[in-house]
Amino acid sequence: MIRPLVRILTLATLAATLPPAAAHAQQTAKPVLHGRHWMAITGKPLAATAGAMTFQRGGNAVDAACAMLAATSTMWDVLSWGGETQALIYNPNTGQVVGINALGTAPTGATPEFYRSRGMPYPPEYGPLAAVIPGTPGGLMVMLAEYGTMSLAAVLAPAIQMADGYPIEGQTANSIHNNRDRLREWPYSRAVMLPHAGQEREAPSAGEIFRQPDLARTLRSVVEAEAQALAQGKSRREAIMAAYERFYRGDIAREFVRGVQEQGGLITMDDMARWQVRIEQPVSTDYKGIQVYKLTTWTQGPALLQSLNILENFDLKSMGYNSTRYVHTLYQAMSLAFADRDFYYGDPYVEPQEPIRGLLSKEYARERARLINPERNDPGIAPGDPYPFQGGANPFTQYLRDWNRRGRTGDSVSAPPRASLDFEESFYLGTTSVQTADAEGWVVSITPSGGWVPAVIAGRTGVGMSQRLQSFVTDPAEGPFNVLRPGQYPRVTLTPTMALKDGKPFLSFAVQGGDSQDQNLLQFFLNVVEFGMNVQQAAEAPNINSFQMRSSFGGHESRPGRILLAESMPDWVRAELRRMGYELTFEARTSGPINAIWFDREHGTFWGGSSHHGEDYGIAW
């Protein structure tokens, strides 16, 4: 295993000087995954197996994706059942891409004043006061009811078996161990996560059977609601929605709310009952004949589309993969797009409406591209004004003028008291991804998250609460469209992606990693489209990460000019970037755990890619 990795790093070192054909020939640590009938890729091998089992039982790509989502949530990879689900689905019957918004909203009482009264400039990173309404159960059930073919019982069967007990993997077991002090603060989390109380290692060990009896009972309860509805003559869809009703308005909701409030949280029964899953039309842009789709401004997804629109004004291929010019141009384009993200993105269901038409305008992108200085990093890049490009007036010009007067390195935009994570650790928080496709043409891309270890488990439900409230800001000067308000969606980093070519699926891809997600996905896409890499090469290829945008977590800090590079980056590129004003940091692998499917139209097959960054895994047939 060492030799292929060495080969990758050696070629990555030379990548800036190689033509695209030579870069295309690079070896990979993992092989391309080939399939004809179906493909299932996600963050853990056992969860990929749950998808394979579902396909083998006759399910479609939506059924399999729901089974994988249930399994990853049960495995705490890196989320749980109380988190949030964001998905794109390609429906071959209509030829359309649809979006699934199963993000939780802020609960009753969650206001800037509430948190400030407790000495918190933002909602906390962890604990009962960090939670939005649980979205993943509802998202799974709505996706299954609307686009799947199987029963909820069939799709949840692998997750229920796992909740009864499965051999836990080392990554999660060690995360529990490392967070044991915080987990001890919450009685229901302590009971589940630290089964060896009083022993030297209270957390489970790798390979140990990890049991979650309360969660198993909750999952069996929603299956029971489905069975009762079917026995009453209800349709498959109606029966699944009866299970939804039990989770959000029945006895499960009552126990969840009781457990939340017992531990000091805010969520009420009314919050649970009012929350709903939304089926949406995603936003998109055309890049050289490829239509790229993202969820809208309640995620950071449009920043990738804005970046593509800006980069379309440059000849990236002639610059050379990961050359100094290419790295600099990427960094500047992302800085421009993410400055707009930080200012203009937020809940599209509350007024005023985000200026998405202007933000995605090609003319606006050309104006932004002209701001790039080819010789030096610009640490003062600020949001633009897209309103003239959609025929409107900007309602927040006073905040726009003052944008760079706000602290960019944690002085006035500072971390909350007792912040437990450093800036870069929080920058990459949480999440996994799920990718599925089948021979009928269904394609699913999901980026679920929330409720990662250490999570507060709500009562005897076994459901870990989300930590997503921290993605709000509490001062409109820091982002006027994303100010904390009860019933509102936070602007999140979670961002599945789908691309069509000639109206047919071309790529489906997603990644974990907080604010780095759309940075890595942008480069993955360009690796395929501009530099001719196959899906596995593109998933493993070294990327850059910028820290110039404001973090969506913790203290919402920023590090203008700071850049993460692969250790394989040549010395001359490092020297040139330093001269251009960058502060360099390095890691051995910088691609993030990308999972992706490329659609081979010539042969009618799937090519799967899963980066060598973590425990992500795929199975195909």
Side-chain angles (χ1 to χ4, degrees):
M1 293 301 292
I2 294 174
R3 288 180 180 175
L5 180 57
V6 171
R7 177 70 170 159
I8 292 167
L9 297 179
T10 302
L11 283 171
T13 303
L14 298 173
T17 62
L18 292 176
H24 181 77
Q26 73 184 52
Q27 300 298 307
T28 54
K30 289 181 179 179
V32 171
L33 182 65
H34 291 283
R36 177 183 178 186
H37 302 286
W38 52 261
M39 185 161 285
I41 310 174
T42 190
K44 297 287 183 184
L46 282 180
T49 302
M53 293 164 61
T54 305
F55 275 127
Q56 292 292 71
R57 291 170 180 161
N60 71 4
V62 179
D63 299 318
C66 290
M68 294 158 74
L69 174 60
T72 59
S73 297
T74 302
M75 297 177 74
W76 301 84
D77 172 44
V78 179
L79 71 157
S80 70
W81 278 97
E84 45 274 352
T85 286
Q86 298 66 220
L88 293 171
I89 300 173
Y90 176 77
N91 183 341
N93 300 321
T94 63
Q96 301 297 311
V97 178
V98 297
I100 302 295
N101 175 349
L103 172 63
T105 51
T108 299
T111 64
E113 295 74 24
F114 173 84
Y115 288 99
R116 289 193 198 111
S117 72
R118 285 155 178 77
M120 302 176 185
Y122 305 98
E125 294 168 88
Y126 297 107
L129 291 176
V132 295
I133 313 306
T136 288
L140 185 155
M141 288 187 261
V142 168
M143 283 192 291
L144 182 65
E146 297 293 338
Y147 304 107
T149 66
M150 301 179 81
S151 68
L152 185 62
V155 163
L156 292 188
I160 291 172
Q161 290 182 39
M162 296 177 77
D164 284 336
Y166 75 97
I168 192 169
E169 77 289 353
Q171 189 179 66
T172 301
N174 290 333
S175 177
I176 293 170
H177 175 70
N178 293 337
N179 287 282
R180 61 194 180 278
D181 290 342
R182 190 175 293 277
L183 289 165
R184 288 193 195 104
E185 298 175 17
W186 309 311
Y188 303 101
S189 299
R190 182 173 64 240
V192 173
M193 297 285 187
L194 303 175
H196 309 300
Q199 299 182 24
E200 183 176 353
R201 182 183 171 103
E202 296 182 303
S205 299
E208 180 179 336
I209 302 301
F210 181 54
R211 294 182 171 86
Q212 302 173 77
D214 289 341
L215 178 60
R217 187 181 309 110
T218 293
L219 298 179
R220 286 191 169 96
S221 293
V222 294
V223 167
E224 179 183 64
E226 178 191 48
Q228 290 171 350
L230 289 171
Q232 295 166 7
K234 302 290 187 182
S235 68
R236 186 189 75 91
R237 182 188 182 283
E238 290 169 333
I240 293 171
M241 296 313 292
Y244 180 108
E245 185 78 11
R246 184 170 185 179
F247 188 93
Y248 285 95
R249 298 179 178 91
D251 59 328
I252 299 172
R254 287 191 292 274
E255 176 57 18
F256 182 88
V257 169
R258 186 201 66 78
V260 169
Q261 295 184 353
E262 176 192 342
Q263 297 174 92
L266 298 174
I267 296 172
T268 68
M269 283 296 292
D270 283 345
D271 293 328
M272 296 284 283
R274 283 197 302 266
W275 183 84
Q276 61 179 315
V277 178
R278 297 181 188 268
I279 299 176
E280 301 178 336
Q281 181 178 350
V283 293
S284 66
T285 197
D286 181 278
Y287 184 83
K288 300 187 175 181
I290 299 168
Q291 203 71 20
V292 185
Y293 291 85
K294 301 292 278 189
L295 296 165
T296 192
T297 54
W298 56 275
T299 76
Q300 70 176 350
L304 182 145
L305 307 182
Q306 287 191 248
S307 297
L308 286 174
N309 286 345
I310 294 168
L311 291 168
E312 202 171 35
N313 295 282
F314 300 88
D315 186 355
L316 301 179
K317 187 179 294 186
S318 71
M319 294 180 184
Y321 167 73
N322 275 3
S323 67
T324 304
R325 287 177 61 211
Y326 179 69
V327 168
H328 175 67
T329 305
L330 268 178
Y331 191 101
Q332 299 305 299
M334 291 192 299
S335 294
L336 290 162
F338 278 85
D340 283 345
R341 179 205 73 169
D342 292 341
F343 191 89
Y344 290 108
Y345 291 15
D347 186 340
Y349 298 98
V350 299
E351 293 295 334
Q353 289 285 300
E354 291 77 4
I356 189 62
R357 190 158 53 88
L359 288 166
L360 295 182
S361 156
K362 297 285 189 177
E363 292 77 14
Y364 178 63
R366 281 192 286 272
E367 179 182 273
R368 298 290 274 166
R370 283 194 287 268
L371 298 175
I372 293 178
N373 179 343
E375 304 300 328
R376 191 157 185 85
N377 177 52
D378 180 359
I381 284 176
D385 187 354
Y387 281 91
F389 298 88
Q390 63 177 41
N394 195 324
F396 296 118
T397 53
Q398 73 276 24
Y399 299 131
L400 198 58
R401 286 192 301 268
D402 294 340
W403 182 253
N404 277 334
R405 296 181 189 178
R406 304 292 299 175
R408 300 298 302 273
T409 58
D411 45 6
S412 63
V413 183
S414 58
R418 300 181 60 213
S420 58
L421 301 174
D422 65 24
F423 167 69
E424 289 188 19
E425 187 179 0
S426 69
F427 197 87
Y428 291 104
L429 272 178
T431 316
T432 190
S433 62
V434 173
Q435 301 293 316
T436 61
D438 65 36
E440 292 181 19
W442 289 95
V443 186
V444 183
S445 180
I446 311 178
T447 312
S449 190
W452 52 75
V453 176
V456 180
I457 292 177
R460 299 299 301 274
T461 64
V463 173
M465 297 162 61
S466 171
Q467 300 100 340
R468 195 59 60 178
L469 273 178
Q470 65 182 299
S471 290
F472 281 109
V473 298
T474 54
D475 182 342
E478 295 177 33
F481 294 89
N482 188 38
V483 179
L484 175 61
R485 187 184 310 164
Q488 186 166 319
Y489 295 114
R491 195 278 300 150
V492 297
T493 57
L494 310 162
T495 179
T497 320
M498 204 168 284
L500 306 187
K501 190 172 184 180
D502 301 323
K504 301 291 184 182
F506 173 69
L507 276 173
S508 180
F509 51 114
V511 67
Q512 70 181 63
D515 289 285
S516 74
Q517 288 180 38
D518 275 312
Q519 301 186 57
N520 287 323
L521 294 176
L522 171 67
Q523 292 167 83
F524 167 85
F525 178 81
L526 294 173
N527 289 344
V528 173
V529 174
E530 293 288 357
F531 298 107
M533 298 185 196
N534 70 41
V535 67
Q536 186 62 37
Q537 292 167 341
E540 293 187 14
N543 290 340
I544 68 163
N545 279 182
S546 165
F547 301 100
Q548 185 147 319
M549 64 284 298
R550 298 183 179 184
S551 173
S552 302
F553 306 95
H556 296 258
E557 299 164 87
S558 171
R559 298 287 189 270
R562 189 173 178 86
I563 185 172
L564 174 67
L565 303 172
E567 292 173 356
S568 56
M569 188 63 76
D571 289 342
W572 65 87
V573 175
R574 300 183 187 199
E576 289 167 347
L577 290 171
R578 286 192 179 99
R579 283 196 294 271
M580 298 171 84
Y582 290 100
E583 175 194 351
L584 312 187
T585 63
F586 300 92
E587 288 185 9
R589 299 176 184 176
T590 56
S591 64
I594 296 169
N595 291 321
I597 302 172
W598 177 73
F599 297 85
D600 184 344
R601 293 295 164 200
E602 180 181 356
H603 303 105
T605 61
F606 313 118
W607 292 43
S610 183
S611 76
H612 59 323
H613 220 276
E615 299 184 351
D616 298 67
Y617 201 80
I619 304 175
W621 188 248

